[in-house]
Amino acid sequence: MSTLAVHDHAVAHHDEAHEHHHKATFLNTYVFSQDHKMIAKQFLITGITMAFIGMALSLLFRIQLAYPDKAFPLLETLLGRFAPQGRISPDFYMSLVTIHGTIMVFFVLTAGLSGTFANLLIPLQIGARDMASPFVNMLSYWFFLTASVIMLSSFLVQKGPASGGWTIYPPLSALPKAMAGSGEGMTLWLISMVLFVASSLMGGINYISTVLNMRTKGMDLWKMPLTIWALFLTAILGVLAFPVLVAGVVLLIFDRSFGTSFYLSDIVLNGQVQPYEGGSPILFQHLFWFLGHPEVYIIIMPAMGISSEVLSVNSRKPIFGYHAMVYSLIGITVLSFIVWGHHMFVTGMNPFLGGVFMITTLIIAVPSAVKTFNWLATLWRGNIRFTPAMLFAIGMVSFFISGGLTGIFLGNAALDVNLHDTYFVVAHFHLVMGSAAIFGMLAGVYHWFPKMFRRMMDDKLGYLHFWLTFAGAYMVFFPMHFMGLDGVPRRYYAFTEFKGWEHWLTVNTFITWAAMLSGVAQLAFAYNFIHSIFWGKKAEQNPWNANTLEWTTPVEHLHGNWPGEIPTVYRWAYDYSKPGAEDDFIPQTVPFSQTMSSNLPHDFEDNPGGLEEYNKWTAAHKASEPVK
Amino acid sequence: MIMAQIQQEDRVNLGAKKFSMWIFIFTSFMFFAALTSGFIVYSGQKGHALDVKMPTTFIFSTIVILLSSVTLYMASTAAKKLEWEKQKFLLWVTFALGIVFLVLQIQAWYILTYKMGVYFVGPNASRTFIYVFTGMHLLHILAGLAVVLNAIKGTYGSVTQVKNLYKMEMTSIFWHFLDIIWIYLYVFLLLNQN
Ligand code: HEM
Ligand SMILES: [Cu+2]
C-alpha cells in the first residue's frame, strides 16, 4: 500500500524530492523545474540559441570560402588571434567547421529536437501527468546545458576549440600536439560530449519508460500518434547507440592521456617518432559510425513524426498508411544498426564486406521511400490549410526526397570511392539531415507554439521565414553536388587556390550570399518567436482542430496536465474528414457511441460487442432510408 | 481526485521507474558489448592475439561475486517475509563481498602487471583491453556498492515496506546484472586468451 504524501491539489506527486513541500517559487518553476512542459521549453530555447550560434559559425567559414584572399578588419576585431589581419586562420577554420557540425548534429538536432518534443508531447499525447521520473528528466536538461556551456567555452582557450571534424577521428583527436585544436579544445569537446551522452541517456530512458508504462486508458500502442511512435523509437535508437560512442571515447581518452595504443601506430610528429605501436584508427571509425549512423536517424525520425502529424492535421485527412508508417519507422530503427560501414567504404575494407554494407544501405532506402510516398499520398486531394507549420512540414518532405536520392548514389560502394569526402556528401547530408530535420523541427515549433506558450505565432512572418529559408537552403546546398562531382574535397580551407578548381570561386560566392540570406531569414523567426511569447495573439484550446490529447488540456498550464481525471482514449488520432461525421475532426476522446453516423465496420476490428451495435444501428437506419 | 486513484497512479509510477532500471541495464550492456566488439576487431589484426593466461585470482573473484548475488537474493527474500534484521545483515554481507570482489580485481591487476608482465601500456592493445574491461566493470561495481548502501540505509530509517521492497528490487536488478556482466567478460577473456 502506498503511503506517499498526497497534497491538497488534484495531482499526485511521485518524486521523493517533492514529497516534503511544494510551493511554486521562481526557482522551481522556471529554473529547476520538474514539469515536463517547462523542461521542453528549456530544451527548445537552449536548442534555438545553440542553432543561432552554430549558424553564425557557418557564416564565418562561408566568408572565408567566398573571399579567400580578402581581409576583413572587422573579423580581427571580433575574433582577435583567430583572425590575424582580418583573415580567418586555417586552424580556426577547422575549428569552425568542427564546432558547427558538433553543435548542429548533437546540440540542436538531437537534444534540441528530441528534448523539446519528447518532453512536451510524450506525456501530453499519451495521457500521462508527467514523465516516469521527473527528477531525472530535470537532470537531463541540466547536463545538456552544462555540456553546451563547456562546448562553447572551448572558444576561450588559447589554441581554440577542437578541430578534427565532428567525427573526431584519431590520430588528430588522440594526440594533443597534433594540431592546434587537438589540445585543450579537444579535451573540452570530450568532456562536453560525455555530459551530453549522459543527458541523452537519461532523457531517452525516461521517454521509453513513460511511453511503455504510463499511457492513459484506451491508449494502446496502435492508437498512439505517429509523433509518439517516432519519439519512442528515436529514444530506443539513442539508448542502444550512444553507449557505443562512449566505449569508443573511453578508448580514445586512454590513448590521449594514458599512453595506450588502441588507435595509434607508426606516428611521427614534428620529426619525432612517437612511442605508439599497433593501434588501428579504423577501430575508432567502426565504433564511431556504429553510433554515427543511428545518430542521423535519431535526428530525422522525430522530424518525420512531427511532419506526419502536421501534414495529416492540415490536410484534414487521415495519415495515409498509418501502419506502414509505424512499420517503416521500426524498419529504419532496426536497419540503421547494420549500415554503418557505408561511411567506411574507402578505409581499405574488404570489398565483400563493403558489398554487404552496400546492400543493407540500399535496403534502408525502402522504408524511407515508404514514408515519403505516404506523406505525398496524405497530401493528395487533401483539404490543405497552408499554415506555416504545414509549409515547413511540406518543406521537410521536399528536402528529404532531394537529399535521400543522393544517399542512394553514395550507398553504392563503386560510386562512393569517387564521391567520398567531397562536397557531394556535404550536399547529401545537409539536405537530408540538416535541412529536412530543421524544417521538421520548425514545423513542430509553429504547430505546438500555442500549446507551449499559450499564444499564437504570427502567420505572415512565418510565411516570410519559410520561403526565404526554403529557397536559401536549396541555393546553398544544391550547387554543392556539382562541386562534389568535380572532385572538390570537403573541409578544405581554400580549395579555390588549386589549379583546376578556381572556377568554383564564383559558385562559392553565390553560396555564401545565399547562406547570408537564409541567415537573415532566421531573424524573422527569432523576432516572431520572442515577440509572440509575450505579445502574440492568445491561443484557443484547440487552434488547429486536431484530434490528439494535448489539445484537451486547458490552455493554462497545470502541473499534472489535466485538472480532473486523465481522459480516456477511444480511437486513433487520425479521424479527419470522416464521412458522415458532423465536424471534420473527431478527437481521440470521443467514443464511437457518440458518432454512430460516421462509424465504419473496421472501427470495431477487435471489439465484437461494438460491431454488433454498429450492425444493429446500420440495419435500423438502412430500413428507414429512402431508396435512391 | 480520489485517494485510490492517486495510489494507483503511484504504483504505476514505481513500476515505470523499475522499467527505467531495465533500460539502463540495456545501455550498460551495449557499452560492454561495444568494448568486446572493439576487442574482436582489434585482435583480428595480425599479431594482436591476447596470448595471456588469465590469473587464478579471477576465479576467486568470480566465486565471490556469485556469492554476493546469493546473499542479495536471500536479503530480498527476507525483506519479503518482513524479516528486516535478517535483511539488514544479509545486505551488509553483500556489501562486504562486493568490497572483497573489488580488492581481488585490483590484486589481479597487480599480478598481471608485476608477476606476468602484461602491461596496461604497450604495442599490443589486446592486453590493454583486459584492464579496460575490468576497470570499466569496477566503475560499475562502485556504483553498485552505492546502490547497495542506499538499500541498507533504507533498513535503518523508517521507510515503508513498499519503498523497501522497491529499493530491494532496484538493487537486485542492478547487482545481479553486474554479476552477469562480469561472467560475460571473464568467459569472453577465457575464450580469447590464446
Ligand atoms: C536514403 C537513405 C540514405 C542513404 C542510402 C545514405 C547513404 C549515405 C552514404 C553512403 C554516406 C557516406 C558518404 C561518404 O562519406 O562517402 C552518407 C553520409 C551521410 N549521411 Fe546519408 N544516406 C541516407 C539517408 C540519410 C539520412 C536520412 C540522413 C540524416 C538524417 C543522412 C545523413 C548522413 C550524414 C550526416 C552523412 C555524412 C557524415 C559525415 O561524413 O560527416 N543520410 N549517407
Ligand atoms: Cu550513414
Side-chain angles (χ1 to χ4, degrees):
Chain A
M1 179 80 1
S2 166
T3 48
L4 285 183
V6 173
H7 298 275
D8 47 7
H9 57 287
V11 177
H13 289 280
H14 311 302
D15 221 78
E16 288 151 54
H18 248 163
E19 276 171 30
H20 316 295
H21 61 98
H22 182 73
K23 207 167 70 202
T25 61
F26 179 80
L27 263 185
N28 74 20
T29 314
Y30 294 103
V31 185
F32 297 107
S33 171
Q34 300 193 15
D35 185 296
H36 71 99
K37 300 182 288 299
M38 182 54 70
I39 296 174
K41 289 192 265 185
Q42 292 173 327
F43 266 108
L44 179 62
I45 289 173
T46 315
I48 291 180
T49 311
M50 290 304 273
F52 272 87
I53 294 171
M55 186 180 76
L57 302 181
S58 74
L59 293 179
L60 284 176
F61 65 69
R62 280 308 325 172
I63 292 179
Q64 159 61 26
L65 287 170
Y67 302 101
D69 5 70
K70 228 198 191 121
F72 297 91
L74 182 64
L75 285 182
E76 186 167 16
T77 321
L78 282 175
L79 302 171
R81 63 181 181 281
F82 294 135
Q85 277 103 50
R87 295 184 53 193
I88 288 170
S89 74
D91 278 330
F92 192 59
Y93 176 87
M94 296 310 297
S95 295
L96 287 172
V97 178
T98 302
I99 303 297
H100 163 76
T102 307
I103 286 183
M104 290 304 193
V105 170
F106 293 111
F107 290 80
V108 180
L109 293 175
T110 303
L113 182 53
S114 274
T116 304
F117 291 102
N119 270 307
L120 180 73
L121 296 179
I122 288 179
L124 284 175
Q125 288 195 332
I126 65 170
R129 298 223 180 267
D130 207 312
M131 288 286 176
S133 176
F135 178 71
V136 173
N137 209 26
M138 176 185 83
L139 275 189
S140 156
Y141 172 72
W142 284 97
F143 271 66
F144 166 54
L145 184 69
T146 315
S148 310
V149 170
I150 292 178
M151 187 58 74
L152 294 178
S153 73
S154 63
F155 279 97
L156 305 177
V157 302
Q158 176 65 26
K159 289 186 169 169
S163 57
W166 76 280
T167 52
I168 57 157
Y169 287 172
L172 285 181
S173 57
L175 296 168
K177 298 219 163 56
M179 66 196 283
S182 306
E184 286 150 3
M186 191 61 221
T187 305
L188 288 170
W189 194 100
L190 289 169
I191 295 172
S192 167
M193 281 310 291
V194 167
L195 294 174
F196 180 89
V197 171
S199 153
S200 280
L201 289 178
M202 286 189 273
I205 290 175
N206 238 327
Y207 307 151
I208 298 174
S209 189
T210 309
V211 170
L212 287 182
N213 291 291
M214 296 172 70
R215 299 189 308 277
T216 184
K217 236 175 46 222
M219 180 66 87
D220 56 60
L221 291 178
W222 289 108
K223 288 200 182 66
M224 296 199 309
L226 287 170
T227 31
I228 301 301
W229 271 110
L231 291 163
F232 170 59
L233 291 164
T234 303
I236 291 181
L237 266 181
V239 156
L240 294 177
F242 272 115
V244 181
L245 177 68
V246 176
V249 163
V250 164
L251 302 185
L252 181 63
I253 291 173
F254 281 129
D255 273 9
R256 245 180 102 73
S257 311
F258 298 91
T260 58
S261 310
F262 288 106
Y263 304 135
L264 299 171
S265 190
D266 306 315
I267 288 172
V268 181
L269 199 64
N270 298 326
Q272 265 186 323
V273 179
Q274 301 291 310
Y276 307 100
E277 253 182 87
S280 155
I282 308 288
L283 173 60
F284 180 82
Q285 294 198 21
H286 279 297
L287 291 170
F288 182 87
W289 285 114
F290 190 86
L291 156 93
H293 188 85
E295 168 63 22
V296 305
Y297 282 96
I298 288 172
I299 285 173
I300 200 68
M301 291 209 315
M304 290 172 159
I306 290 169
S307 301
S308 303
E309 182 69 21
V310 171
L311 285 171
S312 171
V313 171
N314 291 298
S315 303
R316 312 310 291 162
K317 266 182 69 186
I319 188 80
F320 189 91
Y322 172 81
H323 283 78
M325 285 303 224
V326 174
Y327 285 122
S328 57
L329 282 174
I330 296 174
I332 289 174
T333 304
V334 174
L335 287 170
S336 68
F337 280 108
I338 49 170
V339 301
W340 80 92
H342 65 218
H343 296 274
M344 303 170 59
F345 283 141
V346 297
T347 53
M349 173 185 277
N350 178 332
F352 176 73
L353 187 59
V356 172
F357 279 121
M358 183 171 107
I359 290 168
T360 55
T361 300
L362 296 183
I363 291 176
I364 206 171
V366 175
S368 309
V370 167
K371 301 198 76 70
T372 309
F373 287 124
N374 284 348
W375 288 320
L376 297 179
T378 304
L379 289 169
W380 177 251
R381 308 184 88 179
N383 203 350
I384 297 180
R385 294 187 313 208
F386 288 103
T387 62
M390 180 63 164
L391 287 176
F392 276 100
I394 296 172
M396 183 272 170
V397 176
S398 164
F399 285 121
F400 189 72
I401 295 174
S402 31
L405 283 175
T406 51
I408 299 175
F409 290 71
L410 292 169
N412 286 279
L415 291 174
D416 189 61
V417 170
N418 297 279
L419 294 171
H420 177 66
D421 261 352
T422 67
Y423 267 80
F424 195 85
V425 177
V426 179
H428 160 65
F429 70 76
H430 277 92
L431 287 176
V432 77
M433 176 171 79
S435 304
I438 278 281
F439 271 55
M441 181 170 171
L442 287 168
V445 172
Y446 280 99
H447 192 77
W448 280 287
F449 190 89
K451 191 73 255 163
M452 281 189 270
F453 298 101
R454 290 170 259 153
R455 292 175 185 274
M456 309 295 285
M457 287 180 83
D458 182 63
D459 278 355
K460 296 249 165 49
L461 280 171
Y463 296 139
L464 181 72
H465 178 211
F466 170 77
W467 285 110
L468 289 182
T469 315
F470 185 73
Y474 267 120
M475 288 194 292
V476 169
F477 299 119
F478 214 77
M480 291 184 184
H481 291 109
F482 306 107
M483 292 166 125
L485 290 173
D486 193 28
V488 175
R490 62 195 281 211
R491 293 179 183 157
Y492 271 38
Y493 175 63
F495 63 82
T496 44
E497 304 288 304
F498 287 108
K499 278 245 158 10
W501 284 329
E502 298 110 326
H503 54 278
W504 290 111
L505 190 60
T506 49
V507 178
N508 262 351
T509 317
F510 171 78
I511 293 178
T512 296
W513 281 101
M516 300 277 184
L517 172 77
S518 323
V520 171
Q522 305 318 306
L523 297 180
F525 171 71
Y527 172 80
N528 194 355
F529 186 81
I530 295 169
H531 188 268
S532 304
I533 287 179
F534 298 105
W535 300 286
K537 206 176 88 208
K538 281 246 161 66
E540 311 158 30
Q541 193 185 13
N542 188 357
W544 316 118
N545 290 344
N547 289 340
T548 36
L549 280 185
E550 75 273 29
W551 306 107
T552 63
T553 60
V555 178
E556 285 302 317
H557 286 176
L558 296 176
H559 190 32
N561 296 339
W562 286 269
E565 235 178 284
I566 303 178
T568 304
V569 162
Y570 298 97
R571 57 177 77 231
W572 75 333
Y574 299 101
D575 270 343
Y576 292 106
S577 305
K578 201 172 180 188
E582 278 165 45
D583 295 314
D584 71 346
F585 70 108
I586 312 175
Q588 289 191 275
T589 50
V590 177
F592 287 110
S593 59
Q594 288 175 20
T595 58
M596 289 315 260
S597 61
S598 70
N599 292 349
L600 295 170
H602 81 235
D603 290 332
F604 304 102
E605 258 162 14
D606 33 35
N607 176 2
L611 188 60
E612 205 172 298
E613 287 298 313
Y614 167 79
N615 286 336
K616 259 191 241 156
W617 191 90
T618 33
H621 279 250
K622 266 225 191 82
S624 63
E625 238 169 53
V627 185
K628 286 200 185 116
Chain B
M1 191 194 292
I2 31 173
M3 193 67 184
Q5 192 188 341
I6 294 173
Q7 287 177 344
Q8 181 60 34
E9 286 181 12
D10 262 352
R11 210 164 305 140
V12 171
N13 204 267
L14 284 187
K17 284 185 181 161
K18 216 181 300 162
F19 194 84
S20 300
M21 176 58 100
W22 278 109
I23 308 170
F24 174 75
I25 299 283
F26 258 95
T27 64
S28 212
F29 174 74
M30 281 306 289
F31 175 73
F32 286 104
L35 287 178
T36 45
S37 311
F39 178 94
I40 291 171
V41 172
Y42 182 90
S43 65
Q45 297 169 290
K46 242 202 215 99
H48 283 169
L50 187 53
D51 201 17
V52 174
K53 215 168 158 312
M54 290 303 137
T56 40
T57 325
F58 281 157
I59 297 179
F60 298 126
S61 62
T62 309
I63 293 171
V64 167
I65 198 167
L66 280 173
L67 275 180
S68 75
S69 264
V70 174
T71 54
L72 183 62
Y73 177 74
M74 285 159 64
S76 288
T77 326
K80 271 181 218 140
K81 289 194 200 138
L82 311 182
E83 297 166 349
W84 292 302
E85 281 309 312
K86 193 168 161 199
Q87 177 201 1
K88 184 187 295 180
F89 172 72
L90 285 164
L91 277 175
W92 275 117
V93 175
T94 310
F95 184 78
L97 287 171
I99 300 278
V100 174
F101 176 81
L102 204 130
V103 173
L104 282 174
Q105 295 296 84
I106 292 172
Q107 202 204 338
W109 287 350
Y110 172 80
I111 292 171
L112 278 168
T113 310
Y114 290 98
K115 301 273 156 71
M116 302 169 65
V118 176
Y119 298 113
F120 176 64
V121 171
N124 185 0
S126 290
R127 297 177 164 192
T128 315
F129 267 115
I130 306 177
Y131 292 93
V132 174
F133 292 161
T134 47
M136 289 297 134
H137 182 253
L138 277 194
L139 281 185
H140 281 70
I141 287 284
L142 286 180
L145 287 174
V147 174
V148 174
L149 266 190
N150 185 37
I152 293 177
K153 201 180 104 207
T155 63
Y156 281 92
S158 54
V159 180
T160 58
Q161 175 68 353
V162 174
K163 220 44 202 276
N164 183 26
L165 285 184
Y166 163 72
K167 279 189 172 185
M168 284 307 289
E169 272 185 74
M170 295 289 261
T171 314
S172 302
I173 298 172
F174 191 50
W175 192 263
H176 294 318
F177 164 73
L178 296 183
D179 185 352
I180 291 167
I181 280 291
W182 167 247
I183 292 170
Y184 165 67
L185 292 174
Y186 187 38
V187 170
F188 182 87
L189 284 172
L190 286 178
L191 289 178
N192 286 292
Q193 61 184 345
N194 303 312

